[in-house]
Amino acid sequence: MRFCTVFRLLGALLGLLFLTPVTAKAQSALLRDVIIRTDTASYQLSRNTVNVQGEPTLFFWFRRDDETVELRLLPESKLPGQKPLRLRRSADFQQLDSLTLEADGTYRTRLKFQDLTSSQFIRLVVEQPADAPGQEPWRDVVPLLPVARTTVSVRRTDDELYVGEEKVLELNSSNPRNVRATGEWVRGEDFDYRIVREQNGTLRLHVLPNQLGRKALGVRLQTERPQLLSGGKLSYQLPLLRQEFTVKASRLRFLSPDKRSITLDDLSRRRGVELILDNGRAFELRRTYRLEDQEEPGGALIAELYTRQYLSNDRVLCYLRPYNTHRQTEGYLYIKQNDQAQYVTNLDITPKTTITSVQVLHRGGDWTSSLNVSPGETVDVRLEGEGLQKARFHLEDLQVIPSDSSVRTESRVVLRVQVPVTFDKRKSTILNAGQPTGYALTVREFQRPHPLDFVSVSYGESSRPITRLNGPVLYEHTIRDVVFNFNTNGIDTEKSLYGKQFLSFEIRTLNSKGELIEIRNVENVVICPGDNSPRAAFYQDKQCRTDPLSLNSLLGRKTYDLDEWSRIVVVVRHQAAQYSEPVSTQTVELVLKRKFKFDIDVSFPAGLLTKRMKETGYSSFGGISLATLAQFSFYHPEKINRLRPYKVGAGFVAINAFNLSSDPNAYRDLGLVVLGSVYPTRREAKLTFPLYLGGGYLLSKKDWFFLLGPGIGVRL
């Protein structure tokens, strides 16, 4: 029986040998040793091996994740093939040099590892290609195990902790990437702790004490890469990190909210507002907490906090239902459960933004409720109401200029706004976060009274601005017409806008005695700025006057028909009802000046002293004579309608025409004379006594004579 069994086993083995493919070759060892050399030590496969999961593994100490090493391969004395060895590529390292055969029979190259801390199952695969095509190459595999020395210590500033309050400590490590940080809480009787690695690689120890008194915390840390202990043992456990703390009674912890301001309105009061808070540890999900304004019981209910769910960043998603307003400046909000304060937080609970009034301040003026602004103007806009501090106000298409005088409080906001000169809208809506507030600035053209230098007048000479006519203008010639012209380009400039000018003209003509001849009023003369104005396109109006204003087209008695020393008085003024600023007024007065006057004068010389050429003596003083003269009167050149005190004329003199003497031989005669007379200059005198001096020819006596004497003048 035993013989048959042995025979059957031998038959089965022979069958397996015959069934094996011909192309398969028995694997043979290629390497008798492997050497890895770092900058501080060398490690050989024949000496420095450790058993990992039952497999001999070459270990080496490293300090950097991208460590660079020299690799030497010692081949067997007799290789199965004829071709040189090669090293297969791997994602765990980069081969810096080609694998070359050295003079001592070893193969050499350099390797730069990628990430020794995180890489797992690092292997060196050495191959010798087969001699014949289609055959499998010979291959040796050398497992590698990087090992690292890692130390960890805790850095602390004090040893005081509070129950329920999380404390974060920094860990110092010689190789922080090799310390395993899972971020999971490790629960204990005295402490809860967790290890967290931040983005910059820093290790943090989060400690949460549970018991009062002097307590010792023991933190067990593990590594990613093991340490090699004596006896060839591997250890992933670091020495116990032990620290002692003094744990005191709990104090209220501040929980930071993700929102700093919440609006109190009907919607938030009923449905609540989503709020994310720090995890308070003692929070219970789906539970309602009270927010009050004092730590003691009985505080005013400010809001209710409903915990909904935990978030992955160790925070809690909540619903906050506000019931009263609160300002952060008024103090903290206490999160309470059963009238017991557990945490504190703070945020603004403010009413819905409501605007009650808007006012505008123009430069150099006072606050006004009129929301009219003009292009090119910089104004301050003051908004008053509730909940304004959180609002995001801006004006449609207008620029808000930062200013030191800007104000932002809960009840008042002051904005400085600049209206561009080219602004092409009639209104600019005041917006809050892009939504209309119901208020808007009305953009109106400037309507300021410009000095009247853009108005000029011509009356026979070249046109002159009316502002240069200081006082009456004495004009010696006939005034054919008085024409007012308007320089529309002299109103607006790039830096100063005035807008439309509304003028009125009061026209009066007076005679030489100052008596009114005619009066005309021209109202609502609208002059618009010309094409040089930046706002010329916005001044288009059918009422704008561009043609000159002629007085003869308005007056019944034309200017060329006025008598000497008549006056034309034109008062040009802005219409005060169209402006909010003081207006300008300019008076143009034209006087028809004359140098002399010619008239026929009848006077009564009396007591004349005459001297005839044919007689040797003087005649006696006679009676009252009658003189009819065509004479010239001369006006003062610098006064209006004021005669000089002398006249010159020629005519007839009836000597002793009114002689009341009874002497029948009284001397009477009629003479042709040229007389000069001197008159008093007082206008109010009705009875005057002029003095005559002259000479002539007597018609009866046929003789030349001279005369001198006073006269009597009567002014009616």
Side-chain angles (χ1 to χ4, degrees):
M1 250 342 247
R2 293 179 179 175
F3 179 78
C4 293
T5 302
V6 172
F7 182 77
R8 290 175 181 174
L9 290 174
L10 290 174
L13 291 174
L14 290 174
L16 290 174
L17 290 175
F18 284 111
L19 289 175
T20 302
V22 179
T23 58
K25 299 179 64 175
Q27 295 294 326
S28 300
L30 301 177
L31 305 174
R32 56 185 175 86
D33 206 350
V34 176
I35 301 175
I36 291 179
R37 190 176 70 179
T38 65
D39 58 349
T40 56
S42 296
Y43 305 93
Q44 293 184 237
L45 181 63
S46 57
R47 295 187 201 174
N48 306 105
T49 59
V50 64
N51 193 354
V52 179
Q53 297 181 357
E55 184 178 17
T57 303
L58 173 61
F59 70 86
F60 63 95
W61 294 91
F62 74 95
R63 291 180 300 174
R64 299 173 51 184
D65 284 343
D66 57 348
E67 193 85 32
T68 299
V69 300
E70 181 188 59
L71 174 66
R72 284 186 176 272
L73 304 178
L74 282 66
E76 293 286 353
S77 57
K78 183 174 179 60
L79 293 175
Q82 303 297 326
K83 295 183 178 182
L85 301 181
R86 66 185 181 187
L87 182 66
R88 293 193 64 176
R89 294 182 179 180
S90 173
D92 297 327
F93 56 82
Q94 178 184 0
Q95 186 175 343
L96 301 180
D97 303 326
S98 58
L99 190 63
T100 56
L101 182 63
E102 300 291 328
D104 57 357
T106 63
Y107 287 87
R108 176 191 175 278
T109 188
R110 287 186 306 146
L111 303 180
K112 183 177 182 179
F113 291 97
Q114 301 295 332
D115 190 355
L116 289 175
T117 300
S118 302
S119 299
Q120 302 291 332
F121 306 107
I122 303 176
R123 302 188 307 165
L124 297 176
V125 179
V126 182
E127 294 181 346
Q128 183 181 35
D131 296 334
Q135 293 183 351
E136 289 290 331
W138 289 274
R139 182 181 300 116
D140 266 0
V141 178
V142 180
L144 300 180
L145 178 65
V147 292
R149 296 181 178 89
T150 304
T151 59
V152 178
S153 62
V154 64
R155 179 182 178 183
R156 64 176 185 177
T157 56
D158 58 75
D159 61 351
E160 290 186 354
L161 299 180
Y162 296 88
V163 173
E165 180 177 333
E166 184 177 330
K167 182 77 170 181
V168 180
L169 304 174
E170 183 179 350
L171 295 180
N172 296 328
S173 175
S174 60
N175 191 357
R177 293 193 75 247
N178 195 39
V179 179
R180 184 171 298 177
T182 61
E184 298 180 355
W185 285 96
V186 178
R187 308 294 179 179
E189 181 178 356
D190 296 332
F191 296 93
D192 297 341
Y193 68 89
R194 64 171 180 166
I195 307 298
V196 176
R197 177 180 288 108
E198 296 183 351
Q199 293 183 353
N200 58 2
T202 304
L203 294 175
R204 303 288 185 185
L205 173 63
H206 294 244
V207 181
L208 187 65
N210 300 323
Q211 301 292 334
L212 298 176
R214 188 70 178 177
K215 302 293 182 180
L217 169 65
V219 179
R220 299 185 180 276
L221 301 174
Q222 290 186 331
T223 60
E224 299 292 341
R225 284 299 179 188
Q227 296 187 86
L228 185 63
L229 304 180
S230 58
K233 294 183 179 181
L234 298 176
S235 174
Y236 289 87
Q237 191 74 36
L238 290 175
L240 182 66
L241 185 63
R242 191 174 185 278
Q243 292 291 330
E244 288 190 355
F245 296 96
T246 300
V247 182
K248 298 182 179 181
S250 63
R251 60 181 181 181
L252 296 180
R253 177 189 171 193
F254 183 85
L255 303 183
S256 298
D258 66 326
K259 297 178 180 178
R260 293 300 179 184
S261 179
I262 290 178
T263 301
L264 174 61
D265 54 18
D266 292 338
L267 183 63
S268 62
R269 186 184 297 112
R270 290 180 177 274
R271 297 187 179 181
V273 179
E274 282 193 350
L275 186 71
I276 298 177
L277 281 175
D278 293 336
N279 188 3
R281 303 297 168 204
F283 273 147
E284 297 181 18
L285 290 182
R286 304 189 181 279
R287 187 179 182 92
T288 301
Y289 296 85
R290 290 173 58 94
L291 268 70
E292 297 181 3
D293 58 357
Q294 67 180 33
E295 185 176 0
E296 295 77 14
L301 176 62
I302 304 300
E304 288 183 347
L305 185 71
Y306 177 75
T307 55
R308 183 178 175 185
Q309 66 182 36
Y310 291 116
L311 301 179
S312 58
N313 58 352
D314 197 33
R315 307 196 79 185
V316 181
L317 177 63
C318 309
Y319 278 132
L320 183 73
R321 294 186 179 91
Y323 297 106
N324 281 305
T325 60
H326 177 77
R327 304 291 190 277
Q328 295 190 40
T329 55
E330 297 174 357
Y332 292 103
L333 290 175
Y334 295 86
I335 303 177
K336 295 184 178 181
Q337 181 180 5
N338 299 328
D339 279 342
Q340 182 65 37
Q342 294 189 345
Y343 304 99
V344 292
T345 188
N346 211 356
L347 62 141
D348 290 325
I349 301 177
T350 56
K352 184 179 179 181
T353 300
T354 304
I355 300 176
T356 57
S357 69
V358 179
Q359 294 179 321
V360 173
L361 175 64
H362 300 270
R363 298 282 80 81
D366 297 325
W367 290 103
T368 174
S369 58
S370 174
L371 302 185
N372 297 332
V373 297
S374 300
E377 190 177 18
T378 299
V379 298
D380 289 343
V381 180
R382 182 171 67 188
L383 297 91
E384 296 181 344
E386 291 184 335
L388 303 184
Q389 191 170 17
K390 62 184 176 182
R392 293 179 294 166
F393 290 116
H394 67 280
L395 287 89
E396 184 180 10
D397 297 332
L398 293 184
Q399 179 182 3
V400 177
I401 304 175
S403 171
D404 295 338
S405 61
S406 296
V407 177
R408 180 173 288 272
T409 64
E410 284 294 328
S411 59
R412 176 176 296 180
V413 173
V414 177
L415 305 174
R416 180 159 293 177
V417 181
Q418 184 178 28
V419 184
V421 175
T422 57
F423 193 78
D424 57 357
K425 294 183 178 180
R426 291 301 178 189
K427 288 187 177 181
S428 176
T429 305
I430 301 176
L431 306 173
N432 178 17
Q435 299 299 319
T437 60
Y439 292 88
L441 297 183
T442 301
V443 181
R444 293 186 177 180
E445 303 302 329
F446 267 111
Q447 200 160 308
R448 298 187 297 163
H450 190 280
L452 294 174
D453 54 1
F454 68 93
V455 182
S456 59
V457 61
S458 61
Y459 45 87
E461 297 182 354
S462 60
S463 182
R464 298 171 60 187
I466 63 175
T467 54
R468 297 184 182 178
L469 301 179
N470 298 319
V473 177
L474 305 181
Y475 191 66
E476 299 180 2
H477 308 287
T478 300
I479 299 179
R480 299 183 180 278
D481 197 359
V482 179
V483 180
F484 288 89
N485 298 282
F486 308 101
N487 179 18
T488 57
N489 289 332
I491 301 175
D492 280 358
T493 61
E494 290 287 343
K495 297 182 179 180
S496 182
L497 301 177
Y498 288 87
K500 297 179 182 179
Q501 301 298 300
F502 296 85
L503 306 179
S504 64
F505 290 77
E506 179 185 335
I507 307 166
R508 289 179 293 155
T509 57
L510 300 93
N511 60 16
S512 59
K513 296 181 180 180
E515 298 171 346
L516 181 64
I517 300 175
E518 189 175 356
I519 184 170
R520 289 286 186 271
N521 289 317
V522 182
E523 303 289 344
N524 201 29
V525 178
V526 183
I527 309 300
C528 297
D531 295 335
N532 70 317
S533 172
R535 303 290 298 174
F538 302 94
Y539 292 139
Q540 301 298 329
D541 194 336
K542 295 181 180 179
Q543 294 182 344
C544 294
R545 186 175 188 128
T546 57
D547 58 315
L549 177 65
S550 171
L551 296 195
N552 280 345
S553 65
L554 302 172
L555 296 175
R557 187 173 179 180
K558 310 304 180 184
T559 59
Y560 51 77
D561 194 31
L562 295 176
D563 297 329
E564 58 190 25
W565 295 108
S566 295
R567 289 188 294 166
I568 304 172
V569 180
V570 182
V571 180
V572 185
R573 61 169 60 93
H574 288 98
Q575 295 183 2
Q578 300 289 344
Y579 304 98
S580 59
E581 302 178 15
V583 297
S584 301
T585 301
Q586 185 70 35
T587 301
V588 177
E589 183 175 357
L590 304 176
V591 182
L592 278 68
K593 175 184 176 182
R594 296 294 181 265
K595 293 184 178 179
F596 58 87
K597 180 177 70 170
F598 174 80
D599 57 4
I600 304 298
D601 189 14
V602 178
S603 60
F604 302 92
L608 292 175
L609 178 63
T610 61
K611 171 70 172 71
R612 288 183 294 185
M613 298 293 293
K614 295 179 179 180
E615 293 183 355
T616 58
Y618 293 91
S619 64
S620 60
F621 292 98
I624 301 174
S625 302
L626 175 63
T628 303
L629 302 174
Q631 64 179 0
F632 290 91
S633 302
F634 301 93
Y635 290 103
H636 196 289
E638 297 180 357
K639 296 182 180 180
I640 298 175
N641 199 14
R642 293 297 298 269
L643 293 170
R644 289 184 178 271
Y646 56 84
K647 297 181 181 181
V648 177
F652 300 91
V653 174
I655 300 175
N656 289 329
F658 302 98
N659 192 337
L660 301 179
S661 174
S662 59
D663 184 4
N665 296 321
Y667 172 70
R668 288 183 175 88
D669 204 345
L670 179 65
L672 298 175
V673 295
V674 175
L675 291 179
S677 57
V678 179
Y679 281 81
T681 58
R682 293 183 295 114
R683 286 186 173 184
E684 65 275 7
K686 301 298 183 181
L687 181 63
T688 59
F689 299 93
L691 181 63
Y692 295 94
L693 174 64
Y697 184 76
L698 293 174
L699 297 180
S700 296
K701 301 296 183 179
K702 307 295 183 179
D703 192 9
W704 297 95
F705 74 101
F706 300 97
L707 62 85
L708 173 64
I712 301 173
V714 178
R715 180 175 297 170
L716 300 178

